[in-house]
Amino acid sequence: MPLDALCLSGVIHELNTSLAGARVDKIYQPGRDEVVLALRTQSVGNVRLLLSANPAHPRLHLTTLPLENPEKPPMFCMLLRKHMSGARLLELVQAPLERVAALRFEALNELGDRVERKLVLEAISHKTNLILLDGEGRVLDCVRHTGGDITAGRVLQPGMFYRLPPGVDKENPLTADRERLESLLSAAPEESQADRWLLDTFGGLSPLICRELAHRAGGATDARLNLLGPEGRNRLLDRLEELQAIVKENRYTPTTVLMEGRPRDF
């Protein structure tokens, strides 16, 4: 399963709990798409935070795995060391219901003044990127430069102001109230599968989450809306409201899905 927006919100909440106020001790770049921050924290001691912009597995998390530290650091790593060595992590924030995480740091510039720096991870499938921003939101550098032609879309080049990736034109499942949910469901095609309707209607939900919601409402991952009946439809809306409460109250329960004894999903 990809790191969807809901899962990312859980990761960010957990990291904020343990890493807020941490100091950047060392910075490594073991691969083109990966950066490791060695952090000194008061609550959990010395830890290593991995930020991966690998298109196949974009993610951020703490790691204890040994990772190669190249003898000659890449240019992006050297720039990170210049701007963020000794910096203090203020917080991790997520763009609303997007797979974009920003790490806010307080650092010292060449003159000894306190300045803000941001390291942004865009964990959006083939558009993944790691971007370093200055205090005014300008791009200092990024792993992947894009959009040399300004008219072609969003530009990620040093010196340009950073803009979030274009969002999807879907409903926010965390802010829609019961009346809005009922309205959306009543307008759905009767022959639609419940999981497909959820995926097409709401942003931030992965196919796995949609299948789970459909199963809890109708007893099958491929349950159709016209076969749910009034009770099944109400259960589907109840499950959506339950999901809203889980995210808003940070009541996450990380769960691994096993098939034939092997991890298959989460």
Side-chain angles (χ1 to χ4, degrees):
M1 141 175 196
L3 186 71
D4 68 7
L6 294 186
C7 184
L8 180 60
S9 67
V11 172
I12 288 178
H13 170 72
E14 184 175 303
L15 292 177
N16 266 324
T17 301
S18 57
L19 300 185
R23 292 282 181 181
V24 178
D25 193 22
K26 297 178 181 179
I27 303 172
Y28 310 107
Q29 189 175 350
R32 180 195 174 193
D33 303 312
E34 293 183 340
V35 166
V36 176
L37 304 180
L39 304 172
R40 289 180 284 112
T41 75
Q42 293 184 347
S43 57
V44 294
N46 296 335
V47 296
R48 290 186 296 170
L49 177 64
L50 170 70
L51 297 98
S52 174
N54 185 316
H57 302 289
R59 64 202 189 279
L60 76 162
H61 56 81
L62 299 181
T63 181
T64 58
L65 296 177
L67 297 171
E68 179 184 359
N69 181 22
E71 183 176 337
K72 183 177 180 181
M75 291 296 295
F76 186 68
C77 180
M78 293 175 65
L79 187 73
L80 290 177
R81 291 175 178 177
K82 173 184 175 182
H83 287 277
M84 291 173 41
S85 291
R88 183 169 66 94
L89 178 60
L90 301 176
E91 63 174 345
L92 294 88
V93 295
Q94 178 184 12
L97 216 62
E98 294 287 352
R99 287 173 290 170
V100 179
L103 287 72
R104 292 182 55 239
F105 293 90
E106 181 184 72
L108 297 178
N109 63 14
E110 296 86 345
L111 301 177
D113 299 323
R114 297 183 186 276
V115 295
E116 182 174 311
R117 295 289 181 260
K118 279 186 182 178
L119 185 57
V120 179
L121 171 65
E122 295 184 351
I124 308 175
S125 60
H126 63 285
K127 299 179 181 178
T128 57
N129 216 332
L130 271 172
I131 307 150
L132 179 63
L133 308 179
D134 67 12
E136 296 180 342
R138 285 190 178 88
V139 175
L140 293 170
D141 204 357
C142 50
V143 168
R144 294 183 180 89
H145 296 176
T146 63
D149 179 6
I150 296 179
T151 62
R154 194 169 67 118
V155 177
L156 288 176
Q157 300 281 351
M160 302 297 294
F161 279 103
Y162 174 76
R163 292 188 295 118
L164 285 169
V168 295
D169 187 20
K170 294 183 180 181
E171 194 79 17
N172 188 330
L174 303 182
T175 58
D177 58 18
R178 184 73 177 210
E179 182 179 355
R180 178 58 176 163
L181 294 175
E182 291 175 348
S183 174
L184 291 168
L185 184 55
S186 64
E190 288 292 321
E191 296 295 324
S192 297
Q193 289 186 189
D195 67 322
R196 175 53 58 180
W197 172 74
L198 290 166
L199 191 62
D200 292 342
T201 304
F202 299 99
L205 302 182
S206 68
L208 179 65
I209 294 296
C210 293
R211 291 195 296 271
E212 179 68 20
L213 292 171
H215 185 273
R216 295 190 182 194
T221 58
D222 59 352
R224 294 189 177 275
L225 294 177
N226 61 343
L227 299 179
L228 287 179
E231 291 186 1
R233 285 172 170 253
N234 280 328
R235 283 197 299 270
L236 184 60
L237 299 184
D238 289 343
R239 299 294 79 77
L240 276 169
E241 290 186 322
E242 181 183 6
L243 183 64
Q244 290 178 347
I246 288 172
V247 177
K248 291 177 180 178
E249 299 168 14
N250 296 310
R251 292 190 284 108
Y252 301 101
T253 306
T255 303
T256 301
V257 179
L258 302 178
M259 294 186 69
E260 299 179 352
R262 300 180 63 183
R264 183 65 178 269
D265 227 322
F266 65 89

